[in-house]
Amino acid sequence: MGRAVLRRSVQMVITLWLVSILGFVIIQLPPGDFLTLLESQLEEQRLSSAQIESALTGLRARYGLDQPVYVQYLRWMSSLLRGDLGYSMALRADVNELLSERLVLTLVISFAAMVFSLALALPIGVYSAMKQYSWADYLFTVLGFLGLALPNMLLALILIFLAVTVFNASTIGGLFSPEYITADWSPAKVLDLAKHLWLPAFIVGFSSTAGTIRVVRAQMLDTLGEPFIQTARMKGLSENRVITRHALRVALNPVVSGLGLSLPGLISGETITALVLGLPTIGPLLLNALFAEDMYLAGSILVILSGALVVGNFLADLTLAWLDPRIRLVEP
Amino acid sequence: MEHSRVHNTNNNGRGGQPRLVLEVEDLYVSFGGYRGRTRAVNGVSFQIHQGEILGIVGESGCGKSVTALSLLKLVPMPPGRIDGGTISLHTDDTTVDVTALAQDSREIRAIRGRQISMIFQEPMRSLHPMFSIGDQIVEILLQHFAMNRRQALDKAVALLERVGLPEPARVVHEFPHQLSGGMRQRVMIAIALACEPQLLVADEPTTALDVTIQAQILELLQALQAEMGLAVMLITHDMGVVAEIADRVIVMYLGEIVETASVDQLFTNPQHPYTQGLLRSIPNWTDQPKTPLHSLAGAVPELLDLPAGCVFVERCPFADKVPGLRKPSLIETEPGHFVKCWLYTEEFVHARP
Amino acid sequence: MAHPEPANPREEAAHVPSGKTEAAAYSYWGLIWWRYKRNRIGVVGGIALLLLYALVLPAELTAPYPLNERHTGFLDVPPQFIRFISPDGRFSPRPFVYGLKQERDPETLRRLYVPNEEEIYPLRLFVPGEESWTFLGLTWDRHLLGVESPGKLFLLGTDTQGRDLFSQLLYGGRISLTVGLVGVALSLVLGGIVGLISGYLGGIVDDLIQRGIEVMISFPSIPLWIALSAAIPAEWNSIQVFFGITVILSSIGWGGLARVVRGMTLSLQNEDYVKAGRINGATTWWIVTRHLFPGTLSYMIVAATLAIPGMILGETALSFLGLGIQPPMVSWGVLLKQAQDITVLAHKPWLIAPVFFLTVAVLSFNFLGDGLRDAADPFSGQ
């Protein structure tokens, strides 16, 4: 097992490195020089030429813009690894400050969506499999197809639409009650967040819930047809025990390994949902960075998000190996 | 198992008739489908006595496995349904009709694995892939006996040794994918016999195994059966396996018993045209080289398409000489030898070749 | 002992289809088609898509009004109902719409449009428009459905600039639905080639390619699309932007397709007929073009069909955020941009209509893809 973990860790580090390179390529993609653009922007803001010059020199030194590309990459990477993202001229804010809270909220929402979708999909999937072809099974199948066809963005729009046309609401979404938006973190604020979390979690988790129901149902049906289930029944175990201890254990495997793979979709869905609902998470920040043409910030955000995903995937794989002796014990 | 409870207390003395373990009477089982109900078992009756190996043979789809699963009420319901008949299980002091028990009831679960056990065709898939061998044996012991885990694990090691696995103390911690097919079937046998049941149902236990391993598993079954005074119901499509270890044979076709006899009677004097066909399709090394292998004409009709009268009428070489559209009944042609065929009634004796 | 009722099994079996061995007579593609036709949901998806494309591709003909035509004096008009019952309560075999008259909400003083029951405009087919249009070299001045001047036909209402939403939807659908097709075609070519190479060559090349694809898949798609679309130069015209967007969409989509093709190639290589070809001295080119490519083609088509909805939605997301298709070109995402604001939706709920069309399109592609997958799977057991 130890060697397998080591192998997988090395693989993860290589993937992370490739991710950072791709992120850097994206930073370099837009035509034109980042600094010239910034200069003209700063001029519009009526800063003195000395101020502009010092800001530009600072940036040049920071990103090594007057040096070869690989030096630029190394500087950017080292600052990223040190967790120091500097000051965004374009957004005129300290990036660390901007990013940390939003990143945490993004992960909280995505994680809540995942928990929400599992909590819903597991029992429904199992029930659908046990009562195959019942009316409830058909109902969930239809819901599942809807989930496929209604990605987060459309779902968010429809919910807004319903809120204003049916419920006459004037606002929807948000993560905090007005009095907590600017407040410092406190237990009361966390509680307030928890109260507001369900809607974004529902929207982000909806399509993956639908997908997970389908996977769980199919897996349960496959597993229930396996001879080892007959063996379990033959032993005199109760049907409850056969399902929970014998069938679920096997049926859940692909679901767990699918969790890692569903993460990019969840984060992706969170960004767009945040944009539609105006949530204070990474999505709007990324869009602002792009509109302000601060490619360094945009690239860093992308790499941080993807890095979180790669690590998440790694953890999902470890969980799977821990759950399944067939993987745990076979050294590839 | 050391004291062989079953063996000692239940044999009604030397020379007496062995104790009746299970009695199936007029069993009907069907399955619902979108094209209508399929009748899988049609009025099957038989008995199994202690210490006896009863072979059930027939082509796939003849209802052997459904009959076997019915004994434990393991036929999936729905779509399956027991339409009629009784399955009486005789234990020391009581008789239970299995058909009357609900599928997940405490009563039937007390029978499963404790009174009647079953092993299946594919040892590769019959063991849970994610539990250790020990856990899988311990589970059935804890289900039926009051003992702690430690005792159960010790017993599991003893059982593994009993079924001939090398290094049982190591195997008990291994997982199914680390064992070969033959070893897994031995583990299945250990699980099935862990609680010393009266009856072991073996559904094609050797079909998925290599020929050499097949022989070993059959030997093991025979040895354990003799040792424990077990009743065994052996389901197979392989006449060779039947000849080797069965005492009595039931030949099934399309959900009905067409012939039943002792193994000697059946092989020396097969009576039903279907049995005759089956026996003739076994290759024989005394045959002249290049003799074409006999095969039964036609194919098993779909169960939905059951012939109305004699089940074998569509493939029977004598169909034009008998009233095949009427159902024959089971006739005793010699002591203990029954056949369901018009050719053995007085009326149609002349039609026999 | 009660015997079960002796139902006659022959009767129950009477409606078994006679052509049970029909499948055996078909070629490979014929078999796929035969199996697809038996999948009702898949067929529904296919037909819905055919209708949708037939409606949006010749938008010049099918839309009542030209792209971006502004109807001055008809801003924010709600959808008109098509009516069959005339004001005097009689059934009119020819459907009609009422004219529109302007009123003001007595409280909010907002401008409102209400049906004017004194003006009746029957719906007509092939109504002449104000200007003639040209599509694929064909010039004509008629529109499939409309009413005669001075009547107006706003099936889904108009937007703030007085543009007919239904017409905009058809033009926008043409862009949205072709983005998916072109994008998938691009990723199919790229993914097919890379997948074949990866699977056929194996070894270190395969390792490198697989790692690379893993990296691409580990990026969350929408943020990556957003970042990439920022790289599209501002001075590009709308056609260039259209192709830029398709390239961006397919730049991520090909990874999944390449994986499918690689997996198929790997398993096909172990097939006896491929081994036999190799032993008999077939060239790499021969094996790839004669065995591997045709063998993976059906799976590529299935994977491609299932990838199209993602591309359509990707374009919608980008355009919705203002990073995708640029005016004067419209797409469903561009149209939805108007519906972003909660207060706008409260007053003009009809602007949500593109969501409905998107859902139908995405669902249909999923149905079609599922149907094709089941049909292409030789073990689907039908």
Coordinates of all heavy atoms in Angstrom, one line a residue, chain A residues 169-226:
Chain A
A169 N -40.6 37.7 -5.1 CA -39.5 38.1 -4.4 C -38.8 39.2 -5.1 O -38.9 39.4 -6.3 CB -38.5 36.9 -4.3
S170 N -38.0 40.0 -4.3 CA -37.3 41.1 -4.9 C -35.8 40.8 -4.9 O -35.1 41.4 -5.7 CB -37.6 42.4 -4.2 OG -37.2 42.3 -2.8
T171 N -35.4 39.9 -4.1 CA -34.0 39.5 -4.1 C -33.9 38.0 -4.0 O -34.8 37.3 -3.5 CB -33.1 40.1 -3.0 OG1 -33.7 39.7 -1.8 CG2 -33.0 41.6 -3.1
I172 N -32.8 37.4 -4.5 CA -32.7 36.0 -4.3 C -31.2 35.8 -4.2 O -30.4 36.5 -4.7 CB -33.3 35.2 -5.5 CG1 -33.1 33.7 -5.2 CG2 -32.6 35.6 -6.8 CD1 -33.8 32.8 -6.2
G173 N -30.8 34.7 -3.5 CA -29.4 34.4 -3.4 C -28.7 35.1 -2.3 O -29.3 35.5 -1.3
G174 N -27.4 35.3 -2.5 CA -26.6 35.9 -1.5 C -26.2 34.8 -0.5 O -26.8 33.8 -0.4
L175 N -25.1 35.1 0.2 CA -24.6 34.1 1.1 C -24.8 34.5 2.6 O -24.7 33.7 3.5 CB -23.1 33.8 0.9 CG -22.8 32.8 -0.2 CD1 -21.3 32.6 -0.4 CD2 -23.5 31.5 -0.1
F176 N -25.1 35.8 2.8 CA -25.3 36.3 4.1 C -26.5 37.2 4.2 O -26.9 37.8 3.2 CB -24.0 37.1 4.5 CG -22.7 36.3 4.4 CD1 -21.9 36.5 3.4 CD2 -22.4 35.3 5.4 CE1 -20.7 35.7 3.2 CE2 -21.3 34.6 5.3 CZ -20.4 34.8 4.2
S177 N -27.0 37.4 5.4 CA -28.0 38.4 5.6 C -27.2 39.7 5.6 O -26.0 39.8 5.8 CB -28.6 38.2 7.0 OG -29.1 36.9 7.2
P178 N -28.0 40.8 5.2 CA -27.3 42.1 5.0 C -26.4 42.5 6.2 O -25.3 43.0 6.0 CB -28.4 43.1 4.9 CG -29.6 42.2 4.4 CD -29.4 40.9 4.9
E179 N -26.8 42.2 7.4 CA -26.1 42.7 8.5 C -24.7 42.0 8.7 O -23.8 42.4 9.4 CB -26.9 42.7 9.8 CG -27.3 41.2 10.3 CD -28.6 40.8 9.7 OE1 -29.0 41.3 8.6 OE2 -29.3 40.0 10.4
Y180 N -24.6 40.8 8.0 CA -23.3 40.1 8.2 C -22.3 40.2 7.1 O -21.2 39.8 7.2 CB -23.7 38.6 8.4 CG -24.3 38.2 9.7 CD1 -25.6 37.9 9.8 CD2 -23.5 38.3 10.9 CE1 -26.2 37.5 11.0 CE2 -24.0 38.0 12.1 CZ -25.4 37.6 12.2 OH -25.9 37.3 13.4
I181 N -22.8 40.9 6.0 CA -21.9 40.9 4.8 C -20.6 41.4 5.1 O -19.6 40.8 4.7 CB -22.6 41.7 3.7 CG1 -23.8 40.9 3.1 CG2 -21.7 41.9 2.5 CD1 -24.6 41.5 2.1
T182 N -20.5 42.5 5.8 CA -19.2 43.1 6.0 C -18.7 42.8 7.4 O -17.5 43.2 7.7 CB -19.3 44.7 5.9 OG1 -20.4 45.1 6.7 CG2 -19.5 45.1 4.4
A183 N -19.4 42.1 8.2 CA -19.0 41.8 9.5 C -17.8 40.8 9.5 O -17.6 40.1 8.6 CB -20.2 41.2 10.3
D184 N -17.1 40.8 10.6 CA -16.0 39.9 10.8 C -16.6 38.5 11.0 O -17.7 38.3 11.4 CB -15.1 40.3 11.9 CG -14.2 41.4 11.5 OD1 -13.9 41.5 10.3 OD2 -13.8 42.2 12.4
W185 N -15.7 37.5 10.8 CA -16.2 36.1 11.1 C -16.4 35.9 12.5 O -15.6 36.3 13.4 CB -15.1 35.1 10.6 CG -15.2 35.0 9.1 CD1 -14.4 35.6 8.2 CD2 -16.2 34.3 8.4 NE1 -14.8 35.3 6.9 CE2 -15.9 34.5 7.0 CE3 -17.3 33.5 8.7 CZ2 -16.7 33.9 6.0 CZ3 -18.1 32.9 7.7 CH2 -17.8 33.1 6.4
S186 N -17.6 35.3 12.8 CA -18.0 35.0 14.2 C -18.9 33.8 14.1 O -19.4 33.5 13.0 CB -18.8 36.2 14.8 OG -20.0 36.4 14.1
P187 N -19.1 33.1 15.2 CA -20.0 32.0 15.1 C -21.4 32.3 14.5 O -21.9 31.6 13.8 CB -20.1 31.6 16.6 CG -18.9 32.0 17.2 CD -18.5 33.3 16.5
A188 N -21.8 33.5 14.8 CA -23.1 34.0 14.3 C -23.1 34.1 12.8 O -24.0 33.7 12.1 CB -23.6 35.3 15.0
K189 N -22.0 34.6 12.3 CA -21.8 34.7 10.8 C -21.8 33.3 10.2 O -22.4 33.1 9.1 CB -20.6 35.5 10.5 CG -20.5 35.9 9.0 CD -19.4 36.8 8.7 CE -19.4 37.1 7.2 NZ -18.4 38.0 6.7
V190 N -21.1 32.4 10.8 CA -21.0 31.0 10.2 C -22.4 30.4 10.2 O -22.8 29.8 9.2 CB -20.1 30.2 11.1 CG1 -20.2 28.7 10.6 CG2 -18.7 30.7 11.0
L191 N -23.2 30.7 11.3 CA -24.6 30.1 11.3 C -25.4 30.8 10.2 O -26.2 30.1 9.5 CB -25.1 30.5 12.7 CG -26.3 29.6 13.1 CD1 -25.8 28.2 13.4 CD2 -27.0 30.2 14.3
D192 N -25.2 32.1 10.0 CA -25.9 32.8 9.0 C -25.6 32.2 7.6 O -26.5 32.0 6.8 CB -25.6 34.3 9.1 CG -26.4 35.1 8.1 OD1 -27.7 35.0 8.3 OD2 -25.9 35.8 7.2
L193 N -24.3 31.9 7.4 CA -23.9 31.3 6.1 C -24.6 30.0 5.9 O -25.1 29.7 4.9 CB -22.3 31.1 6.2 CG -21.8 30.3 5.0 CD1 -21.9 31.1 3.7 CD2 -20.3 30.0 5.2
A194 N -24.6 29.2 7.0 CA -25.2 27.9 6.9 C -26.7 28.0 6.5 O -27.2 27.2 5.7 CB -25.1 27.1 8.2
K195 N -27.3 29.0 7.0 CA -28.7 29.2 6.6 C -28.9 29.6 5.2 O -29.9 29.3 4.5 CB -29.3 30.3 7.5 CG -29.8 29.9 8.8 CD -30.6 31.0 9.5 CE -30.4 30.9 11.0 NZ -30.4 32.2 11.7
H196 N -27.9 30.3 4.6 CA -28.1 30.7 3.2 C -27.5 29.7 2.2 O -27.6 29.9 1.0 CB -27.4 32.1 3.0 CG -28.1 33.2 3.6 ND1 -28.2 33.5 4.9 CD2 -28.9 34.2 3.0 CE1 -28.9 34.5 5.2 NE2 -29.4 35.0 4.0
L197 N -26.8 28.7 2.8 CA -26.0 27.9 1.9 C -26.9 26.9 1.0 O -26.4 26.5 -0.1 CB -25.1 27.0 2.8 CG -23.8 26.4 2.1 CD1 -23.0 27.5 1.5 CD2 -23.0 25.7 3.2
W198 N -28.1 26.6 1.5 CA -28.8 25.6 0.8 C -29.1 25.9 -0.6 O -29.1 25.0 -1.5 CB -30.1 25.2 1.6 CG -31.1 26.3 1.7 CD1 -31.1 27.4 2.6 CD2 -32.1 26.6 0.7 NE1 -32.1 28.2 2.3 CE2 -32.8 27.8 1.2 CE3 -32.6 25.9 -0.4 CZ2 -33.8 28.3 0.5 CZ3 -33.7 26.5 -1.1 CH2 -34.3 27.6 -0.6
L199 N -29.4 27.1 -0.9 CA -29.9 27.4 -2.3 C -28.7 27.3 -3.3 O -28.9 26.5 -4.2 CB -30.5 28.8 -2.4 CG -31.0 29.2 -3.8 CD1 -32.2 28.3 -4.1 CD2 -31.3 30.6 -3.9
P200 N -27.6 27.9 -3.0 CA -26.4 27.7 -4.0 C -26.0 26.2 -4.0 O -25.7 25.7 -5.1 CB -25.3 28.5 -3.5 CG -25.8 29.2 -2.3 CD -27.2 29.0 -2.1
A201 N -26.1 25.6 -2.8 CA -25.7 24.1 -2.8 C -26.6 23.3 -3.6 O -26.2 22.4 -4.4 CB -25.6 23.6 -1.4
F202 N -27.9 23.7 -3.5 CA -28.9 22.9 -4.3 C -28.7 23.1 -5.8 O -28.7 22.2 -6.6 CB -30.3 23.4 -4.0 CG -31.4 23.0 -4.9 CD1 -31.9 21.6 -4.8 CD2 -32.0 23.8 -5.8 CE1 -32.8 21.2 -5.7 CE2 -32.9 23.4 -6.7 CZ -33.4 22.0 -6.6
I203 N -28.4 24.4 -6.2 CA -28.3 24.7 -7.6 C -27.0 24.0 -8.2 O -27.0 23.4 -9.2 CB -28.2 26.2 -7.8 CG1 -29.5 26.9 -7.5 CG2 -27.8 26.6 -9.3 CD1 -29.6 28.4 -7.6
V204 N -25.9 24.2 -7.4 CA -24.6 23.6 -7.9 C -24.7 22.1 -7.9 O -24.2 21.4 -8.8 CB -23.5 24.1 -7.0 CG1 -22.2 23.4 -7.4 CG2 -23.3 25.6 -7.1
G205 N -25.4 21.5 -6.8 CA -25.4 20.1 -6.7 C -26.5 19.4 -7.6 O -26.4 18.2 -7.7
F206 N -27.4 20.2 -8.1 CA -28.6 19.5 -8.8 C -28.2 18.6 -9.9 O -28.6 17.4 -9.9 CB -29.5 20.6 -9.3 CG -30.8 20.0 -9.8 CD1 -31.7 19.5 -8.9 CD2 -31.1 20.1 -11.1 CE1 -32.9 18.9 -9.4 CE2 -32.3 19.5 -11.6 CZ -33.2 19.0 -10.8
S207 N -27.4 19.1 -10.8 CA -27.1 18.2 -12.0 C -26.2 17.0 -11.6 O -26.4 16.0 -12.1 CB -26.5 19.0 -13.1 OG -25.3 19.7 -12.7
S208 N -25.3 17.2 -10.6 CA -24.6 16.1 -10.2 C -25.4 15.1 -9.4 O -25.2 13.9 -9.4 CB -23.3 16.5 -9.5 OG -23.5 16.7 -8.2
T209 N -26.4 15.6 -8.7 CA -27.3 14.7 -8.0 C -28.0 13.8 -9.0 O -28.1 12.6 -8.8 CB -28.4 15.5 -7.3 OG1 -27.8 16.5 -6.4 CG2 -29.3 14.6 -6.4
A210 N -28.5 14.4 -10.1 CA -29.2 13.6 -11.1 C -28.2 12.5 -11.6 O -28.6 11.4 -11.7 CB -29.6 14.5 -12.2
G211 N -27.0 12.9 -11.9 CA -26.1 12.0 -12.4 C -25.8 10.9 -11.4 O -25.7 9.7 -11.8
T212 N -25.6 11.3 -10.2 CA -25.2 10.3 -9.1 C -26.4 9.3 -8.9 O -26.1 8.1 -8.7 CB -24.9 11.0 -7.8 OG1 -24.0 12.1 -8.1 CG2 -24.2 10.1 -6.9
I213 N -27.6 9.8 -9.0 CA -28.7 8.9 -8.8 C -28.7 7.8 -9.9 O -28.8 6.6 -9.6 CB -30.1 9.6 -8.9 CG1 -30.3 10.5 -7.7 CG2 -31.3 8.7 -9.1 CD1 -31.6 11.4 -7.8
R214 N -28.4 8.2 -11.1 CA -28.3 7.2 -12.2 C -27.2 6.2 -11.9 O -27.4 5.0 -12.1 CB -28.1 8.0 -13.5 CG -29.4 8.5 -14.1 CD -29.1 9.4 -15.3 NE -28.3 8.9 -16.3 CZ -28.7 8.9 -17.6 NH1 -29.9 9.4 -17.9 NH2 -28.0 8.4 -18.5
V215 N -26.1 6.7 -11.5 CA -24.9 5.8 -11.2 C -25.3 4.9 -10.1 O -25.1 3.7 -10.2 CB -23.6 6.6 -10.9 CG1 -22.5 5.7 -10.5 CG2 -23.2 7.5 -12.1
V216 N -25.8 5.4 -9.0 CA -26.1 4.6 -7.8 C -27.1 3.5 -8.2 O -27.0 2.3 -7.9 CB -26.6 5.4 -6.6 CG1 -27.1 4.5 -5.5 CG2 -25.5 6.4 -6.1
R217 N -28.1 3.9 -8.9 CA -29.2 3.0 -9.3 C -28.6 1.9 -10.2 O -28.8 0.7 -9.9 CB -30.3 3.7 -10.1 CG -31.4 2.9 -10.6 CD -32.5 3.7 -11.3 NE -33.6 2.8 -11.7 CZ -33.5 2.2 -12.9 NH1 -32.5 2.3 -13.7 NH2 -34.6 1.4 -13.3
A218 N -27.9 2.3 -11.2 CA -27.3 1.2 -12.1 C -26.4 0.3 -11.3 O -26.4 -0.9 -11.5 CB -26.6 1.9 -13.2
Q219 N -25.5 0.9 -10.5 CA -24.6 0.1 -9.7 C -25.3 -0.9 -8.8 O -24.9 -2.0 -8.6 CB -23.7 1.0 -8.9 CG -22.6 1.7 -9.7 CD -21.7 0.7 -10.4 OE1 -21.4 -0.4 -9.9 NE2 -21.3 1.0 -11.6
M220 N -26.4 -0.3 -8.1 CA -27.1 -1.2 -7.2 C -27.8 -2.4 -8.0 O -27.8 -3.5 -7.5 CB -28.2 -0.4 -6.4 CG -27.7 0.3 -5.2 SD -26.9 -0.8 -4.0 CE -28.3 -1.5 -3.2
L221 N -28.3 -2.0 -9.1 CA -29.0 -3.1 -9.9 C -28.0 -4.1 -10.3 O -28.2 -5.3 -10.2 CB -29.7 -2.5 -11.1 CG -31.0 -1.8 -10.9 CD1 -31.5 -1.1 -12.1 CD2 -32.0 -2.8 -10.3
D222 N -26.8 -3.7 -10.8 CA -25.8 -4.6 -11.2 C -25.4 -5.5 -10.0 O -25.3 -6.7 -10.1 CB -24.5 -3.9 -11.6 CG -24.6 -3.5 -13.1 OD1 -25.7 -3.8 -13.7 OD2 -23.7 -2.9 -13.7
T223 N -25.1 -4.8 -8.8 CA -24.6 -5.5 -7.7 C -25.7 -6.5 -7.1 O -25.3 -7.6 -6.8 CB -24.2 -4.5 -6.6 OG1 -23.4 -3.5 -7.2 CG2 -23.5 -5.2 -5.5
L224 N -26.9 -6.1 -7.1 CA -28.0 -7.0 -6.6 C -28.1 -8.2 -7.4 O -28.6 -9.3 -7.0 CB -29.3 -6.2 -6.5 CG -29.4 -5.2 -5.4 CD1 -30.7 -4.4 -5.4 CD2 -29.3 -5.9 -4.0
G225 N -27.7 -8.2 -8.7 CA -27.7 -9.4 -9.5 C -26.5 -10.3 -9.4 O -26.4 -11.3 -10.0
E226 N -25.5 -9.8 -8.5 CA -24.3 -10.6 -8.4 C -24.6 -11.9 -7.5 O -25.3 -11.8 -6.5 CB -23.2 -9.8 -7.7 CG -22.7 -8.7 -8.6 CD -21.7 -9.3 -9.7 OE1 -21.2 -10.4 -9.4 OE2 -21.4 -8.6 -10.7

